[in-house]
Amino acid sequence: MEDKLLVLRCKRGSKNALGRIYEKYKNDLLILAVALLNEKSAAEDVVHDVFVSFVRSLESFRLTGSLKAYLLTCAANRARNVNKARQHRSNEADPAEPVTPGADGPSNSIIYNEQLRQLSDAMAHLSYEQREVIMLHFQAGMTFKNIAASLGIPVNTAKSRYRYGLDKLRLILDDDVNNETSR
Amino acid sequence: MKPADKIKELINKSYVRTTPETDDRILDGALEHLEKLKQKKSAVNQPNIWRIIMKNPLTKVAIASVLAIACLTGLFLWKSTGSGIALADVLIRIEQVTAYMYQMHSTVTKQQTSTDLISTVLISQENGLKITTKRIDTNNNEINSGDTYILPKLNSVIFVVHEEKMYVRLKFDDTKLAYYKEEYNDPRIIIKQILSCDHTSLGQSVIDGITVEGFRTTDSAYDGGFMGYADFEGRPEKVDVKLWVDVNTFLPVRLEEDIVMKKGTRMHEVSYDFRWNVVVSADDFKPVIPEGYMSSGEIVVPAVKEENAIKGLRLFASLAGEYPDNLDTEILNREARGLIGLVKDSFEEIADDEKKKKKLTGELISMMGPAFFYEKLVYDNKNPAYYGQTVGPDDTNKVLMRWKLDNGQYRVIFGDLSIKNVTPEELAELEKPLLEQ
């Protein structure tokens, strides 16, 4: 109900309402973007683009489900484009100059805690497609059916990406636990 | 711990902190687009209650017919041109007529699509007004389009929309109906508008064997009875209006109007076959609603007064958390409808659909109170101003709305909806920060 009112007020041009939506969901959006891209400045760009796109579509926008899920799906879509562009650049780059996907931009304007660092580092070991399904499932609370629909893939593909992703995470997280206990 | 649980835990405990600069940077583009959206929304026309309440295109036609009557009334009021007939005399003659009727052929051309309508108009000083409208289809068939009844004794306006098999009843309280009667029918008001127009005499001519004298105006400032049309289609840009009056009876014989509105819509209307002092009875104005027609429910239009304006503002703020940005009736109506759409689930406890509809409509109309009130203040030249865009419910000392009183003071509604009368000097101080924003 609150989100619907906020969207309605945004439609009326309320900056205050847009600010409230941003404050309410920026954490979720930035966590998703950081977990998917493992890079602060790219995450910031993604969230920027999500809000621009949201406002641009306001005139015809109708909120039928959860605003959080909608925004997170938008962020995932944007992040996917960023990832594709990154891969494209990586293919074209001089092999002598390695790309460092985990490198943060120069900005320290986004500060995150240890848990997000762990999450981001763990996710960096997965394929982008696996990260996407896992994050949308856990963070946006989306069902595999909805994830599949939003990504344009079969439900079983979404489920297998999730399963393989978790298998990989088990090894990574076990290693982390072992490393911590051996210190 | 299972990896799924671990990931969930990490997500739940993850936290991002941003600097204000980052927030500004992220929201920068969005706010820019929001501003454009807002400007786009603001570019709308002046308000009119009829358009607001009735969204159905066919009822619009009926409403347009009502307004055309007012237009006709207005045209009777031109000042003397120095020719044989003074239009003021025509007015006097009209007012002596207890009932009259005429035919009206209207062609409305919008975006290269024309709609042809033929209306029969019956006006009685005692009983009110009835318009029967037929639409002419592409095969030249006449199709019953709608009937409109304005019934002062019942304080009601009823629209019967035949093509949709439905009818709508607007119930006005005394103030509201009186206001709209004044807006569209009071000669004193319309005279003020007509007198400001340049017009010429067309000299004498003969129409259907009757010697007539003609008057013409091409003044785009002409606003006669077209106030409602202006609300639909923008102000008149090209005007060519000719009225032919019987030189013996001083009564109109033919009226031709060719108006191009700002939005490009062209309206060509010819009123003819005037019959004066026809015999009518109350039964002629009794609404005829064919069996099986659906009622859209009775819409009670509240009095246009301060109290109802405040009530509407309070209701709007309780749902939206802020006041309407402006009190344009079209914008407010759209927003109020949006709000009602959002809260309609809270009416689920009302089992009866009719009651639910009535309650929702009541809320909607109530939220329109401030717009109606503001419209009246503008109309009455009370120098109103409204600051809903920057003033919210928590702004105790900020002026939300104000208008001039007859004693020279200003009536102010503050952000917390408290009210106070202030001097012009005090108002200037109060408004200073708002005007500086």
Side-chain angles (χ1 to χ4, degrees), chain B residues 20-74:
Chain B
E21 291 75 27
T22 313
D23 294 336
D24 288 346
R25 202 164 48 238
I26 290 175
L27 276 183
D28 188 36
L31 289 170
E32 194 180 307
H33 283 286
L34 197 68
E35 189 58 40
K36 283 181 192 163
L37 180 74
K38 202 169 184 176
Q39 283 168 4
K40 195 174 163 189
K41 279 176 174 292
S42 299
V44 296
N45 301 316
Q46 292 303 303
N48 181 275
I49 184 177
W50 304 105
R51 176 186 51 194
I52 303 320
I53 297 173
M54 309 303 300
K55 282 288 179 186
N56 185 298
L58 287 170
T59 50
K60 270 188 180 180
V61 168
I63 295 160
S65 304
V66 175
L67 300 172
I69 305 307
C71 168
L72 182 67
T73 314

Side-chain angles (χ1 to χ4, degrees), chain A residues 1 4-5 8-15 18 22-23 26-27 30-31 44 47-48 51-52 55-56 58-59 107 109-113 115-116 118-119 123 134-135 138-139 162 166 169-170 173, chain B residues 1 3-11 13-19 22-23 25-31 33-35 37-38 40-41 316 319-326 335 338-339 342-343:
Chain A
M1 177 67 190
K4 284 193 173 182
L5 282 174
L8 186 78
R9 287 169 57 197
C10 274
K11 278 173 175 260
R12 298 173 51 223
S14 168
K15 290 180 182 175
L18 184 68
Y22 172 72
E23 282 301 325
K26 74 173 177 186
N27 204 45
L30 285 167
I31 288 169
E44 187 183 314
V47 179
H48 170 272
F51 276 93
V52 169
V55 172
R56 274 186 170 166
L58 266 177
E59 271 191 291
S107 162
S109 54
I110 297 175
I111 299 158
Y112 49 68
N113 63 356
Q115 279 80 4
L116 182 51
Q118 279 183 38
L119 177 72
M123 287 288 174
I134 288 172
M135 288 303 291
F138 284 130
Q139 207 200 358
Y162 171 80
L166 283 189
L169 282 173
R170 179 177 294 118
L173 295 170
Chain B
M1 186 184 279
D5 294 333
K6 177 68 179 170
I7 291 294
K8 269 192 227 174
E9 187 187 280
L10 286 176
I11 290 174
K13 290 185 175 172
S14 285
Y15 182 78
V16 177
R17 202 165 62 235
T18 53
T19 62
T22 313
D23 294 336
R25 202 164 48 238
I26 290 175
L27 276 183
D28 188 36
L31 289 170
H33 283 286
L34 197 68
E35 189 58 40
L37 180 74
K38 202 169 184 176
K40 195 174 163 189
K41 279 176 174 292
F316 190 99
L319 296 174
E322 60 186 12
Y323 295 121
D325 277 351
N326 72 53
E335 290 174 356
L339 286 174
L342 295 180
V343 299

Side-chain angles (χ1 to χ4, degrees), chain B residues 123-134:
Chain B
I123 297 173
S124 156
Q125 284 195 8
E126 186 185 354
N127 297 296
L129 178 149
K130 177 185 174 183
I131 307 167
T132 307
T133 302
K134 291 180 179 178

Side-chain angles (χ1 to χ4, degrees), chain B residues 87-158:
Chain B
L87 281 168
D89 295 335
V90 177
L91 168 65
I92 292 166
R93 282 291 291 121
I94 297 283
E95 285 182 335
Q96 289 166 353
V97 176
T98 54
Y100 60 98
M101 64 188 297
Y102 63 91
Q103 302 291 309
M104 183 166 65
H105 184 180
S106 321
T107 305
V108 180
T109 308
K110 191 173 184 177
Q111 291 168 347
Q112 297 180 330
T113 305
S114 290
T115 306
D116 268 307
L117 301 166
I118 291 185
S119 303
T120 302
V121 183
L122 178 61
I123 297 173
S124 156
Q125 284 195 8
E126 186 185 354
N127 297 296
L129 178 149
K130 177 185 174 183
I131 307 167
T132 307
T133 302
K134 291 180 179 178
R135 181 171 60 81
I136 302 170
D137 72 7
T138 46
N139 298 318
N140 240 14
N141 298 316
E142 290 186 359
I143 296 163
N144 276 341
S145 177
D147 303 331
T148 303
Y149 301 84
I150 296 182
L151 307 170
K153 285 181 185 170
L154 299 175
N155 258 346
S156 292
V157 176
I158 296 167

